[in-house]
C-alpha cells in the first residue's frame, strides 16, 4: 500500500508516534488509509449537511476494511458572494480546491479517496484533483435543495433574484418580496434548479465518478445517507480492483458527459469545468465542439430556470441514469466506459427507466431536437461565447439591437435598476473575464434584474464574464478573447448594432472591419484592478475562458 510510506519500517517510527498521538491503533494502521475529503462548512447552505454525509462515508469505509481520515476542502456560496467583490473569489477557488487536495493527499500518502462536494466550484475542483492524484476515488455529493413554495408556486434561488427586479420595477410589493425571502430556499442542499452545482453533480454520474443518484437524491432524503455509506464501501472495492480515476475520466467519458449535458440543459459553467477536467488528463476540449454534440443530442429536460420542474422531480423520474438510458436509444453514448460502480455505463443504465415523460421527455418527443447549450462565434467572439439556448424564449433566438456598454458589472446593474435599459437593447458587460475581473464573475444580478423588470423577452446581455446556472434569457457569456487581452468585445462602442443569431450560432457587431481595425489600433490595455494577493497571481496565470480558465505557468 502507498500509505506504508508513512506507517511501516524502521524509519517510520516517528510517523507511527504521530499516528499514536491521533489515537490511531496498531490494527487501524494496518488498514488502507482513505481520505474523506469533505467540503463541510457553516457558510454554504449546500454544505451544512456534509458532516452527516462524511460520517456515513467513514462508516462505509470502515465496514469495508479501510481506515477513513477526514480532511477539508474549501467552498464558496455563490449566492452569498453574488453581486459584489466576493464573486471574484468564486471561480478561482476551483484551483485552490484542486491544489490543496493534491497537497494534503500527497503529503500523507493516502491509498484512496472519497470526495464530498456539493456546490459550484468544489465539484469540478475535486474532479480535477482526482484526475491529478489518480488514486481510487468515489464521489458523493450533499444533494440538491427541495424547491420552495410562494403563492402556490414552486420557487428557487433564481426566483428570489428576479423578485428583486420586480420589486424595483414596482410590480411586486415589499411583503411579497419578504415572502420569497422566507420560503424560497427551504432546506439545506445545492439550490434546487439545474444550476451549476446540480449540473456538475449530475455530470459526475455521467462521467462515471459518482454512484447512481449522486446528482439528484435530495439533500434531506435518507437515501442520501445510504448512498454515502455505499460510496465508502465502493471505494474499497475500487482499491481492491485498482480502478483509478484515469481509468474512468477519459476522453470517451468526458464526451459522454457533454452529451448528457446537452440532454439535461445544464449550466453554461459546464463549458468552463469540463475543459478544465479534460486538461488534467491531457485532453484539449475546445468549447466550440459543444455545437457538434448539441446538433445531435435532443434536449430532454427543462428544469428551472429553463422550465417549471426541479431536481427532486428529476430524481423521482429516474434521475441521470434514466436520461442516459433514453440517450442510449439513439446510440449517443459510449456504453463501454468503466465507472466507479466497477461496471460499465451500459451495465449501470440497463433497466433504468423513465417514470415521468414530462420531466424527462422520451427521445421521440424532446423539448427540442438540439441540446441545451450553444457556442456562438463571430467578430465579437472569435473563440466563442456560450448561451443556454434551452432557457431562451423563442422571440430572442434571433435579435439585434444597440449596444449599451459597461466596463464592469456594477455599472450595468445600476443602469438596469435605474430604468436606463430599454426594449431591444443589448447590454455589454466587459473587463469581467478571467484576467480582467479578475475571476470571471457570474452575472446573475443583471440577468435577474432584466427578467424581473419584464425585459427578459426583449433585452439580451453579452459578457466576457460568466453566468450563474440560475440565469435565463439571451445571456451569452465566456466571450473570448476577453476585453482585458484586447478581444473584440473591448472595441464595441455605445450604440453599435449587435446581431445575435442562436440557431445559426453567430454573434457579430455590425461595424465595418476597417473601423474595428482603427479602434483596435487605438485601444489601450486597462490597468489591472487588483495587483496583490491571490487574485493577482490568478490573473497572471489563467487562460482564456474558451479553454476552461485553467491555470498555466507563464512563459
Amino acid at each position: 500500500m502507498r500509505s506504508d510510506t508513512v506507517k511501516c519500517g524502521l524509519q517510520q517510527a516517528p510517523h507511527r508516534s504521530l499516528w499514536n498521538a491521533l489515537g490511531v491503533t496498531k490494527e487501524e494502521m494496518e488498514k488502507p488509509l482513505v481520505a474523506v475529503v469533505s467540503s463541510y462548512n457553516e457558510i454554504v447552505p449546500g454544505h451544512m449537511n456534509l458532516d452527516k454525509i462524511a460520517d456515513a462515508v467513514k462508516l462505509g469505509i470502515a465496514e469495508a476494511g479501510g481506515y477513513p481520515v477526514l480532511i477539508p476542502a474549501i467552498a464558496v456560496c455563490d449566492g452569498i458572494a453574488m453581486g459584489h467583490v466576493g464573486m471574484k473569489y468564486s471561480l478561482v477557488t476551483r484551483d485552490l480546491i484542486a491544489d490543496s487536495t493534491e497537497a494534503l493527499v500527497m503529503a500523507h500518502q493516502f491509498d484512496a479517496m472519497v470526495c464530498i462536494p456539493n456546490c459550484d466550484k468544489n465539484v469540478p475542483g475535486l474532479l480535477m484533483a482526482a484526475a491529478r492524484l489518480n488514486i481510487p476515488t468515489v464521489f458523493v455529493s450533499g444533494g440538491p435543495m427541495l424547491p420552495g413554495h410562494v403563492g402556490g408556486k414552486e420557487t428557487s434561488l433564481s426566483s428570489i433574484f428576479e423578485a428583486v427586479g420586480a420589486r424595483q420595477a414596482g410590480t411586486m410589493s415589499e411583503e411579497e418580496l419578504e415572502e420569497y425571502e422566507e420560503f424560497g430556499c427551504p432546506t439545506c442542499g445545492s439550490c434546487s434548479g439545474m444550476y451549476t452545482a446540480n449540473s456538475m453533480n449530475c455530470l459526475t454520474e455521467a462521467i462515471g465518478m459518482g454512484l447512481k443518484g449522486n446528482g439528484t437524491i435530495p439533500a434531506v432524503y435518507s437515501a442520501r445517507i445510504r448512498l454515502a455509506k455505499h460510496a465508502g464501501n465502493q471505494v474499497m472495492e475500487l482499491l481492491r480492483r485498482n480502478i483509478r480515476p484515469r481509468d474512468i475520466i477519459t476522453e470517451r467519458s468526458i464526451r459522454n458527459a457533454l452529451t448528457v449535458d446537452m440532454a439535461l440543459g445544464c449550466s453554461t459553467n459546464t463549458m468552463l469545468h469540463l475543459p478544465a477536467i479534460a486538461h488534467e488528463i491531457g485532453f484539449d476540449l475546445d468549447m466550440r465542439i459543444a455545437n457538434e454534440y448539441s446538433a445531435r443530442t435532443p434536449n430532454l429536460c427543462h428544469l428551472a430556470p429553463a422550465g417549471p420542474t426541479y431536481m427532486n422531480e428529476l430524481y423521482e423520474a429516474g434521475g441521470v441514469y434514466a436520461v442516459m438510458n433514453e440517450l442510449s436509444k439513439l446510440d449517443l453514448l459510449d456504453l463501454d466506459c468503466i465507472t466507479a460502480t466497477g461496471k460499465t455505463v451500459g451495465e449501470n443504465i440497463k433497466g433504468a427507466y423513465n417514470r415521468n415523460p414530462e420531466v424527462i421527455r422520451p427521445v421521440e418527443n424532446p423539448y427540442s431536437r438540439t441540446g441545451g447549450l450553444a457556442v456562438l462565434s463571430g467578430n465579437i467572439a472569435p473563440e466563442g461565447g456560450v448561451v443556454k439556448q434551452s432557457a431562451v424564449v423563442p422571440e430572442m433566438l434571433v435579435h439585434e439591437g444597440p449596444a449599451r456598454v459597461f466596463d464592469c458589472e456594477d455599472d450595468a446593474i445600476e443602469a438596469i435598476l435605474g430604468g436606463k435599459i430599454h426594449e431591444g437593447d443589448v447590454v455589454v458587460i466587459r473587463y469581467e473575464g478571467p484576467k480582467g475581473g479578475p475571476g470571471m464573475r457570474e452575472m446573475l444580478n443583471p440577468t435577474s434584474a432584466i427578467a424581473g423588470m419584464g425585459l427578459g423577452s426583449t433585452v439580451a446581455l453579452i459578457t466576457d464574464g460568466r453566468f450563474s446556472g440560475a440565469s435565463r434569457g439571451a445571456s451569452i457569456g465566456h466571450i473570448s478573447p476577453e476585453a482585458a487581452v484586447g478581444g473584440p468585445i473591448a472595441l464595441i462602442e455605445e450604440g453599435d448594432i449587435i446581431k445575435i443569431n442562436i440557431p445559426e450560432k453567430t454573434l457579430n457587431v455590425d461595424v465595418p472591419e476597417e473601423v474595428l481595425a482603427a479602434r483596435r489600433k487605438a485601444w489601450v490595455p486597462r490597468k489591472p484592478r487588483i495587483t496583490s494577493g491571490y487574485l493577482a497571481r490568478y490573473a497572471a496565470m489563467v487562460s482564456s475562458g474558451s479553454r476552461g480558465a485553467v491555470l498555466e505557468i507563464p512563459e
Side-chain angles (χ1 to χ4, degrees):
M1 291 186 294
R2 182 163 92 157
S3 61
D4 287 350
T5 306
V6 294
K7 296 187 301 186
C8 300
L10 176 63
Q11 300 299 321
Q12 277 65 43
H15 303 68
R16 288 191 293 276
S17 72
L18 293 170
W19 288 113
N20 289 336
L22 286 165
V24 180
T25 68
K26 181 179 179 181
E27 292 77 14
E28 287 171 330
M29 275 189 256
E30 293 172 353
K31 297 176 180 179
L33 188 62
V34 183
V36 178
V37 188
S38 174
S39 299
Y40 170 75
N41 62 48
E42 295 182 341
I43 190 62
V44 184
H47 292 207
M48 62 183 286
N49 65 324
L50 297 193
D51 55 342
K52 296 178 177 61
I53 301 295
D55 287 344
V57 166
K58 290 169 71 176
L59 282 172
I61 291 168
E63 181 183 54
Y67 181 68
V69 179
L70 186 70
I71 63 174
I74 66 167
V76 163
C77 176
D78 277 22
I80 295 174
M82 194 70 66
H84 56 88
V85 68
M87 182 45 66
K88 294 179 184 289
Y89 287 89
S90 173
L91 178 62
V92 304
T93 64
R94 185 185 69 183
D95 298 275
L96 284 175
I97 291 160
D99 292 349
S100 61
T101 302
E102 174 192 1
L104 276 169
V105 170
M106 290 301 295
H108 303 100
Q109 293 292 285
F110 287 96
D111 298 302
M113 180 168 68
V114 176
C115 293
I116 309 174
N118 210 27
C119 293
D120 292 18
K121 307 311 169 302
N122 62 328
V123 185
L126 289 174
L127 283 167
M128 291 163 65
R132 193 182 299 175
L133 290 162
N134 202 34
I135 58 174
T137 301
V138 175
F139 274 63
V140 54
S141 77
M145 183 184 291
L146 293 179
H149 292 84
V150 177
K153 296 181 179 179
E154 290 186 319
T155 61
S156 60
L157 183 66
S158 58
S159 310
I160 309 167
F161 273 93
E162 291 181 14
V164 173
R167 177 74 186 103
Q168 189 73 24
T171 59
M172 178 178 290
S173 69
E174 185 68 30
E175 291 74 23
E176 287 174 309
L177 179 58
E178 288 178 1
E179 193 172 355
Y180 274 92
E181 288 182 36
E182 181 72 21
F183 300 109
C185 294
T187 71
C188 64
S190 50
C191 296
S192 54
M194 188 54 79
Y195 308 150
T196 305
N198 292 325
S199 295
M200 290 306 303
N201 280 324
C202 286
L203 295 189
T204 300
E205 283 190 63
I207 287 174
M209 290 296 292
L211 305 183
K212 180 182 180 182
N214 179 67
T216 58
I217 298 172
V220 295
Y221 284 15
S222 297
R224 177 67 52 181
I225 300 297
R226 297 197 299 271
L227 179 71
K229 292 176 181 176
H230 289 149
N233 291 161
Q234 187 58 26
V235 78
M236 298 306 297
E237 175 66 9
L238 297 184
L239 180 61
R240 185 184 67 79
R241 295 175 57 184
N242 195 29
I243 297 175
R244 300 171 179 243
R246 289 191 193 175
D247 299 319
I248 298 168
I249 305 173
T250 64
E251 180 175 342
R252 294 159 57 210
S253 71
I254 289 173
R255 291 182 184 276
N256 276 350
L258 190 54
T259 300
V260 175
D261 188 340
M262 294 300 169
L264 287 172
C266 290
S267 164
T268 53
N269 280 313
T270 61
M271 290 297 99
L272 286 173
H273 301 323
L274 287 177
I277 296 162
H279 180 75
E280 294 291 341
I281 62 167
F283 168 36
D284 184 14
L285 180 65
D286 188 317
M287 72 175 181
R288 286 170 291 190
I289 200 175
N291 289 336
E292 173 189 332
Y293 284 81
S294 180
R296 67 178 186 234
T297 307
N299 179 224
L300 305 181
C301 299
H302 264 194
L303 288 96
T309 53
Y310 292 85
M311 294 302 298
N312 59 310
E313 294 168 274
L314 179 59
Y315 169 60
E316 291 155 10
V320 176
Y321 278 17
V323 174
M324 294 176 75
N325 194 44
E326 288 289 343
L327 294 172
S328 71
K329 297 174 184 178
L330 299 178
D331 295 324
L332 292 175
L333 297 175
D334 188 330
L335 301 181
D336 293 328
C337 293
I338 194 68
T339 72
T341 67
K343 301 175 182 178
T344 65
V345 169
E347 290 172 319
N348 285 343
I349 67 174
K350 185 178 181 181
Y353 67 96
N354 183 355
R355 298 187 181 95
N356 189 334
E358 286 305 310
V359 175
I360 304 171
R361 289 280 185 91
V363 291
E364 299 83 9
N365 181 36
Y367 281 102
S368 67
R369 296 290 172 187
T370 55
L373 299 180
V375 176
L376 312 187
S377 299
N379 66 359
I380 294 176
E383 295 176 7
V386 186
V387 63
K388 189 171 184 175
Q389 62 183 355
S390 61
V392 179
V393 293
E395 56 265 37
M396 288 298 290
L397 291 172
V398 178
H399 177 78
E400 66 177 75
R404 305 299 309 280
V405 181
F406 304 94
D407 285 350
C408 67
E409 177 191 10
D410 311 77
D411 292 347
I413 293 171
E414 183 179 349
I416 296 165
L417 295 179
K420 297 178 181 178
I421 302 302
H422 309 292
E423 291 187 7
D425 286 348
V426 179
V427 176
V428 178
I429 304 178
R430 61 192 181 189
Y431 295 100
E432 290 284 9
K435 287 184 179 292
M440 205 177 187
R441 287 198 284 184
E442 285 187 342
M443 303 290 163
L444 180 55
N445 269 6
T447 58
S448 298
I450 288 169
M453 296 185 76
L455 297 171
S457 61
T458 59
V459 170
L461 193 157
I462 68 173
T463 181
D464 55 6
R466 61 194 179 92
F467 294 108
S468 166
S471 292
R472 61 186 176 97
S475 305
I476 304 160
H478 308 193
I479 288 176
S480 302
E482 63 176 288
V485 299
I489 192 173
L491 310 179
I492 299 172
E493 295 185 358
E494 186 82 6
D496 286 348
I497 298 300
I498 306 293
K499 294 185 174 182
I500 299 167
N501 193 315
I502 294 173
E504 293 187 4
K505 312 296 187 291
T506 59
L507 176 63
N508 290 289
V509 57
D510 190 14
V511 173
E513 181 53 42
E514 58 269 23
V515 175
L516 289 177
R519 292 179 186 178
R520 188 174 293 110
K521 188 174 181 180
W523 178 77
V524 177
R526 289 171 58 100
K527 291 182 180 179
R529 289 186 173 124
I530 295 174
T531 57
S532 63
Y534 178 56
L535 287 180
R537 295 196 301 276
Y538 181 89
M541 298 177 67
V542 70
S543 74
S544 168
S546 65
R547 298 183 51 238
V550 297
L551 296 188
E552 298 175 319
I553 299 172
E555 295 182 359

